[in-house]
Amino acid sequence: MVAKIAFVVAAAVVWTPLTAAAAAADPAPVVMAALGDSISAGFNACGWYVSCTSRSWSAGDDTGVNSHYLRLLALNPEIKGHGLNFAVPGSASADLVAQAQKAVAAKAGYVTILIGAQDACVDDEEKMTPVPVYRARVDRAFAVLATTGAKVFAASIPDVKRLWRLGKDNVVARSFWALGHICPSMLARASSDAKKDRARRERVRDRVRDYNAEMAAACAAYTPGCRSDGGAVFDYPFTLDHISRWDYFHPNADGQKALARATFKTGFPWDATVPLTRESSAAGG
């Protein structure tokens, strides 16, 4: 009996980690889709007030950015040409369901979501999307994606207050924010140190943090499989060198590259040895 128990224990030690590792790894997908707003659309990453999807941190094909799509392409050549981008500049959480429906129609096996900056970046902080409404919209989008069992990566919203701190003493940045009416809930009266303005900025930052918490919770509740970034985007120590000089708000190519790097390592442990094929993907529904 002692020998038998010893054998069982030894087998558990040898095989359990390998089995868990195998179960944790997922076949690299053949179709992926980016959902979200101007950040995922690569807005102002390569031109004057235009989307630049090639430089998207998620589905772009610019080798300098090395997006999720390109990293997956290195694992599974079957995904070539199928890094789709349904993100739209100006989108808020209210637009996420429609984007999720497009991802489902495209049979995306992997979907990235980064949404919420526009829910907080409004004319007046009173117009910010209520947290329960944000969560309900995210849940509806996840329910749409669940119909196909797509793997989902949920990124946190960047810390817009950090951007304010970096640019508040830069006259060019302040000019762009004021003239472009960029995220006024946070960036209006950028040079003001008045108590009411300090309090306003903190309330907006708190709302973004609440959105991030709700996105992470929705991700955790998503049955087929979701990974959140654990706040990697919100906590990322970006500088003005990561920000587009076209508006001093959106990530430039270097910023998109930093987003790709910071998020991919917090995502799924894709298994390069068992790539998904178009045939197996179709067979699985």
Side-chain angles (χ1 to χ4, degrees):
M1 178 64 71
V2 172
K4 185 175 181 180
I5 292 173
F7 173 78
V8 171
V9 171
V13 170
V14 172
W15 290 107
T16 299
L18 295 177
T19 303
D26 295 285
V30 295
V31 180
M32 72 159 291
L35 311 185
D37 53 27
S38 53
I39 297 176
S40 295
F43 191 79
N44 273 357
C46 64
W48 175 263
Y49 280 77
V50 294
S51 293
C52 185
T53 54
S54 66
R55 289 184 174 174
S56 166
W57 66 274
S58 173
D61 59 6
D62 186 300
T63 56
V65 170
N66 198 17
S67 67
H68 283 219
Y69 164 69
L70 287 182
R71 293 166 192 257
L72 290 170
L73 179 62
L75 299 176
N76 187 0
E78 289 273 339
I79 200 174
K80 185 175 178 61
H82 292 87
L84 310 177
N85 199 323
F86 299 122
V88 178
S91 291
S93 59
D95 305 299
L96 191 57
V97 165
Q99 293 182 17
Q101 291 169 339
K102 291 181 179 180
V104 168
K107 302 185 184 302
Y110 175 56
V111 174
T112 68
I113 299 175
L114 199 174
I115 197 78
Q118 293 301 318
D119 290 88
C121 285
V122 290
D123 292 343
D124 186 321
E125 64 172 304
E126 296 298 323
K127 297 179 181 179
M128 291 190 295
T129 302
V131 175
V133 174
Y134 176 85
R135 174 60 186 272
R137 292 169 174 172
V138 169
D139 282 341
R140 287 197 293 271
F142 273 112
V144 171
L145 296 171
T147 61
T148 62
K151 299 294 183 184
V152 180
F153 178 79
S156 53
I157 305 161
D159 185 356
V160 187
K161 188 178 180 183
R162 177 179 177 83
L163 178 64
W164 167 77
R165 287 198 300 269
L166 292 171
K168 65 184 178 64
D169 297 323
N170 185 312
V171 64
V172 179
R174 292 201 312 269
S175 296
F176 269 104
W177 296 343
L179 294 174
H181 205 57
I182 297 173
C183 197
S185 56
M186 174 64 73
L187 302 176
R189 300 183 294 281
S191 60
S192 172
D193 192 44
K195 182 178 180 179
K196 65 176 183 179
D197 288 318
R198 295 199 307 270
R200 165 179 55 84
R201 295 180 196 118
E202 198 56 38
R203 286 192 298 270
V204 174
R205 186 174 191 262
D206 285 343
R207 183 61 58 92
V208 169
R209 295 179 69 172
D210 288 342
Y211 292 159
N212 285 339
E214 292 301 329
M215 177 62 79
C219 178
Y222 180 68
T223 303
C226 179
R227 295 293 179 96
S228 66
D229 72 353
V233 174
F234 182 84
D235 294 333
Y236 190 80
F238 65 86
T239 70
L240 287 183
D241 289 337
H242 294 107
I243 305 301
S244 172
R245 292 301 190 266
W246 299 123
D247 59 10
Y248 281 84
F249 184 76
H250 291 93
N252 58 18
D254 287 339
Q256 293 284 347
K257 178 180 180 179
L259 284 174
R261 183 174 60 249
T263 54
F264 195 77
K265 65 183 181 182
T266 64
F268 292 93
W270 301 110
D271 189 348
T273 65
V274 190
L276 198 63
T277 64
R278 300 203 181 284
E279 290 75 15
S280 62
S281 178

